[in-house]
Amino acid sequence: MADRLVVIGGDAAGMSAASQARRRRGPDELEIVAFERGHFTSYSACGIPYWVGGQVSRIDDLISRDPDTFRNEYRIDVRTRHEVTAIDLDRREVVARSLDDGGREVREPFDQLVYAAGAVPVTPAWARTDAAGVFGVQTLDNGAALLDWLTQDPPPRRAVVVGGGYIGVEMAEALIQRGLTVTLVERSPEPMSTVDPDMGVLVREALCALGLDVRSGASVTGLQSRDGRVVAVHTDAGTFPADVVVLGIGVRPNTGLAAGAGLPLGPTGAIRVDLRMRVMGQDGIWAAGDCVESVHRVSGQPVFVPLGTHANKQGRVAGINIGGGYATFAGVVGTAVTRVCDLEVGRTGLRERDAAAAGFEFVTARVESTNRAGYFPGAERMTVKLIAERHTGRLLGAQIVGRSEAAKRIDVLAVALWNRMTVEEMANLDLGYAPPYSPVWDPVLVAARKAAAELR
Ligand SMILES: Cc1cc2nc3c(=O)[nH]c(=O)nc-3n(C[C@H](O)[C@H](O)[C@H](O)COP(=O)(O)OP(=O)(O)OC[C@H]3O[C@@H](n4cnc5c(N)ncnc54)[C@H](O)[C@@H]3O)c2cc1C
């Protein structure tokens, strides 16, 4: 008799796991049932800001494989609009309820289970409102609802984005592109708190130059509505009128079902998994994506880093193992890039406060350079910051703020970090040079040289 695999969550992690398992074990060997609460499978939440902003025109462009493709080509029994409500580990079955069919309940037995329920938005009390015009941007349905609101007649004119992380700034860009006046409210002293405040200042200055009203160091205290529609956002730094409010205040791992079933959670609140993405101590139970914690390769500590890049890799690892192969997930270094209009931000590794919390003694080096030779058309300023361990010179973290071709330079630094290179070694790296691509000393090399000098 065929084994049965049940997957909870039909996006990046869940469907990567299901597809990999299918590639290795045909339908006669492995039956696969995937439950997805929403309408879509394998969609790109990462593309929502660009869809709202108009750079991507159709929702279909954000779906890499739809349920019918999985059903027909992969022989995966995808049940969309089905919410899993419980996991019974003793009976090895999940309980799910149809969201369309009068709440009909089904019980589905499994030999192997993949828990890939992602993350859920953080919702402080003030954000739990019935007022129309307040939107999260976690799912394609959220994006569609926001787009509907933005295209009503007359269209909204003033937007407040709450949260200055990468999703908040990407949404701010989208709203600017749609012609709205945008206020960005961020509780931390500077936006993009994934970089150190001295780099965040550069982000704030650039956002202001784009015409955004940036209110950092301000906390939202409440929303005001009239006739059921949001009209303003109250903060401890003043009240801002709003015809639309977009929330980007972070996510937490979606572990309610897992915790209910007694699966182990780690110190970050996410599910604990081993190297093969098996839930710690649980045979045949796997977890991947935004609901699990990962090991940070620099600090050695468990971290919650909810990114699509990890969700895809972790799902793949789980699927290979379920399919009878062998794969491990090597951990994360926290590499992330983002763009708001023509401003680019990249980061990898530890920020100063992470390095201090992990117990490292460190030096920092910050340099100003350009993306191309200074005389070459289109040369733009770029700031690179490195953090290196004091006694060994090992790179601990890096951040870049600049314009075109700035952000993806972080990948060179991520590779150096991954391979535990010292800043002295990095200063000698053989990186490409031609005037359209960099100054003769690439900004990465200049920063490494400066950090090495700080160590002496
Ligand atoms: C606006 C936005 C922009 C982003 N940009 C980037 C980016 O540029 N780069 C990057 O690396 N990452 C980005 N991300 C993050 C990335 O989208 C996530 O890390 C990734 O989607 C996680 O995949 P996942 O499969 O773990 O979880 P999810 O994508 O959240 O999928 C989990 C699925 O499980 C379903 N589900 C949950 N509970 C149940 C249940 N009980 N029963 C049935 N189904 C359930 C949900 O409906 C959901 O479809 C962005 C996210 C957003 C919201």
Side-chain angles (χ1 to χ4, degrees), residues 166-206:
Y166 79 93
I167 290 179
V169 299
E170 286 174 4
M171 287 311 302
E173 169 182 354
L175 295 166
I176 286 180
Q177 280 170 343
R178 296 195 73 92
L180 281 87
T181 305
V182 183
T183 301
L184 181 77
V185 179
E186 163 59 42
R187 192 171 49 183
S188 303
E190 301 297 345
M192 289 297 293
S193 60
T194 49
V195 297
D196 287 323
D198 62 323
M199 298 293 276
V201 175
L202 305 176
V203 179
R204 177 165 49 78
E205 288 169 359

Side-chain angles (χ1 to χ4, degrees), residues 8-14 35-38 40 43-50 82-85 116-119 137-139 166-167 170-171 254 257 288-291 305-312 337:
I8 305 174
D11 193 23
F35 288 107
E36 167 53 50
R37 180 166 62 188
F40 308 101
Y43 53 90
S44 171
C46 315
I48 291 173
Y50 309 101
H82 276 75
E83 179 171 44
V84 175
T85 53
V137 283
Q138 190 70 17
T139 64
Y166 79 93
I167 290 179
E170 286 174 4
M171 287 311 302
N254 184 10
L257 278 179
D290 281 4
C291 54
V305 185
L307 286 176
T309 172
H310 308 319
N312 280 286
V337 288

Side-chain angles (χ1 to χ4, degrees), residues 47-324:
I48 291 173
Y50 309 101
W51 177 37
V52 172
Q55 286 159 279
V56 175
S57 48
R58 298 174 329 132
I59 189 170
D60 290 352
D61 295 337
L62 299 183
I63 299 168
S64 63
R65 281 189 201 100
D66 63 16
D68 279 340
T69 305
F70 282 116
R71 287 179 194 124
N72 301 333
E73 291 176 24
Y74 289 73
R75 318 300 288 174
I76 294 172
D77 178 1
V78 175
R79 315 248 185 105
T80 47
R81 301 285 293 154
H82 276 75
E83 179 171 44
V84 175
T85 53
I87 304 167
D88 187 334
L89 289 182
D90 294 331
R91 299 172 71 145
R92 305 287 277 189
E93 61 183 28
V94 300
V95 183
R97 129 187 117 81
S98 162
L99 298 177
D100 292 325
D101 198 4
R104 194 173 57 87
E105 196 174 275
V106 290
R107 289 180 166 264
E108 205 62 51
F110 63 81
D111 301 296
Q112 313 266 343
L113 177 72
V114 172
Y115 189 98
V120 283
V122 172
T123 39
W126 59 258
R128 287 177 225 130
T129 171
D130 292 332
V134 182
F135 299 91
V137 283
Q138 190 70 17
T139 64
L140 294 190
D141 289 324
N142 296 153
L146 172 58
L147 266 172
D148 270 355
W149 187 261
L150 294 174
T151 47
Q152 64 188 296
D153 191 17
R157 288 182 301 110
R158 296 160 308 184
V160 173
V161 176
V162 185
Y166 79 93
I167 290 179
V169 299
E170 286 174 4
M171 287 311 302
E173 169 182 354
L175 295 166
I176 286 180
Q177 280 170 343
R178 296 195 73 92
L180 281 87
T181 305
V182 183
T183 301
L184 181 77
V185 179
E186 163 59 42
R187 192 171 49 183
S188 303
E190 301 297 345
M192 289 297 293
S193 60
T194 49
V195 297
D196 287 323
D198 62 323
M199 298 293 276
V201 175
L202 305 176
V203 179
R204 177 165 49 78
E205 288 169 359
L207 294 177
C208 293
L210 293 170
L212 263 173
D213 177 18
V214 181
R215 303 298 174 127
S216 45
S219 292
V220 174
T221 52
L223 302 178
Q224 187 182 330
S225 58
R226 195 179 309 129
D227 302 330
R229 295 166 71 102
V230 73
V231 290
V233 176
H234 298 296
T235 76
D236 56 8
T239 293
F240 305 102
D243 309 316
V244 56
V245 174
V246 174
L247 305 176
I249 42 185
V251 292
R252 59 179 174 76
N254 184 10
T255 52
L257 278 179
L263 299 180
L265 306 185
T268 65
I271 299 171
R272 289 183 63 208
V273 288
D274 67 14
L275 285 171
R276 298 179 73 183
M277 305 310 298
R278 186 168 32 203
V279 175
M280 210 59 103
Q282 301 283 336
D283 249 6
I285 315 285
W286 311 80
D290 281 4
C291 54
V292 304
E293 59 184 28
S294 306
V295 173
H296 199 292
R297 287 174 63 99
V298 181
S299 69
Q301 291 165 355
V303 287
F304 172 59
V305 185
L307 286 176
T309 172
H310 308 319
N312 280 286
K313 292 187 187 103
Q314 292 171 341
R316 180 172 186 275
V317 166
I320 290 173
N321 289 314
I322 293 166

